[in-house]
Amino acid sequence: MLILVATLLALALVPVLGGRLSRLADLRLVSRWLIVYALGLQVLAISIVPDWPRPAVVALHASSYVIAGAFVWRNRDVAGLPVLAVGAGLNAFAIAMNGGQMPADPEALARVGITQEEGTYVNSGVVEDPRVAFLGDVLASPSWLPLQNVYSVGDLLILAGAVWLVHRTCGTVLARRPRRPEPAVA
């Protein structure tokens, strides 16, 4: 949720930083339906049918990453999207290495007050003997922030890519291409 809020903040800052939100309308994304479908599968797996048999939910979740990867590949020239894709790829790798679940640090979960329900699929939770645990949800959001949660390095890269995409597309001072100096005339 913090990623969504931070992305909305990035959008709100566009006019303040000299950009134009209307430029987002000019962003040409190929096969947009792929990312909508991928996000729909994630919502289905994580929020709608988490009590389905684990193999089915894991398959839904995993297929969402494959479909999102196809979207990113088709749009790889869009500023920020490669960074976002690396973050999603790290998350997908950590999930795949842990049997379909993002490993979460139990202490980080406790700091933000998240508990796990037994017998229900969670996309992020405590995994016994996690592999590549450092890529898991090991970063707890600060206590002063609303919407407490845990995050991974991949999540932060997803956020960085989204912010870069917004600011580059909208032409803010944060992401404008530097102008080449005019050659000196002798």
Side-chain angles (χ1 to χ4, degrees):
M1 184 59 91
L2 184 62
I3 292 173
L4 176 62
V5 171
T7 302
L8 292 173
L9 177 61
L11 285 166
L13 288 174
V14 165
V16 175
L17 297 171
R20 290 194 344 244
L21 286 169
S22 62
R23 290 184 179 162
L24 287 173
D26 298 330
L27 183 61
R28 299 291 172 234
L29 297 173
V30 179
S31 304
R32 287 176 283 197
W33 64 272
L34 286 170
I35 198 64
V36 171
Y37 189 58
L39 291 172
L41 285 176
Q42 284 209 356
V43 168
L44 180 66
I46 295 166
S47 301
I48 298 173
V49 296
D51 52 350
W52 277 11
R54 183 174 173 80
V57 178
V58 169
L60 284 172
H61 196 200
S63 63
S64 74
Y65 279 95
V66 172
I67 294 166
F71 169 80
V72 169
W73 180 256
R74 302 277 327 260
N75 293 283
R76 62 189 174 276
D77 294 333
V78 174
L81 209 49
V83 174
L84 191 149
V86 168
L90 289 174
N91 284 352
F93 179 68
I95 290 167
M97 293 299 294
N98 289 283
Q101 183 174 334
M102 175 67 87
D105 181 349
E107 292 177 20
L109 288 171
R111 275 196 302 273
V112 298
I114 295 176
T115 57
Q116 283 187 257
E117 292 181 38
E118 289 295 320
T120 300
Y121 175 79
V122 291
N123 68 316
S124 172
V126 177
V127 174
E128 192 172 319
D129 294 324
R131 294 184 176 109
V132 295
F134 66 96
L135 293 177
D137 287 336
V138 297
L139 306 167
S141 55
S143 60
W144 51 269
L145 280 176
L147 308 170
Q148 292 285 285
N149 209 339
V150 290
Y151 301 94
S152 66
V153 170
D155 293 336
L156 298 181
L157 287 171
I158 290 169
L159 175 59
V163 169
W164 180 252
L165 186 152
V166 165
H167 284 272
R168 182 59 171 269
T169 301
C170 294
T172 71
V173 296
L174 294 179
R176 285 188 188 134
R177 290 189 174 136
R179 293 185 180 172
R180 292 184 181 182
E182 295 292 323
V185 178

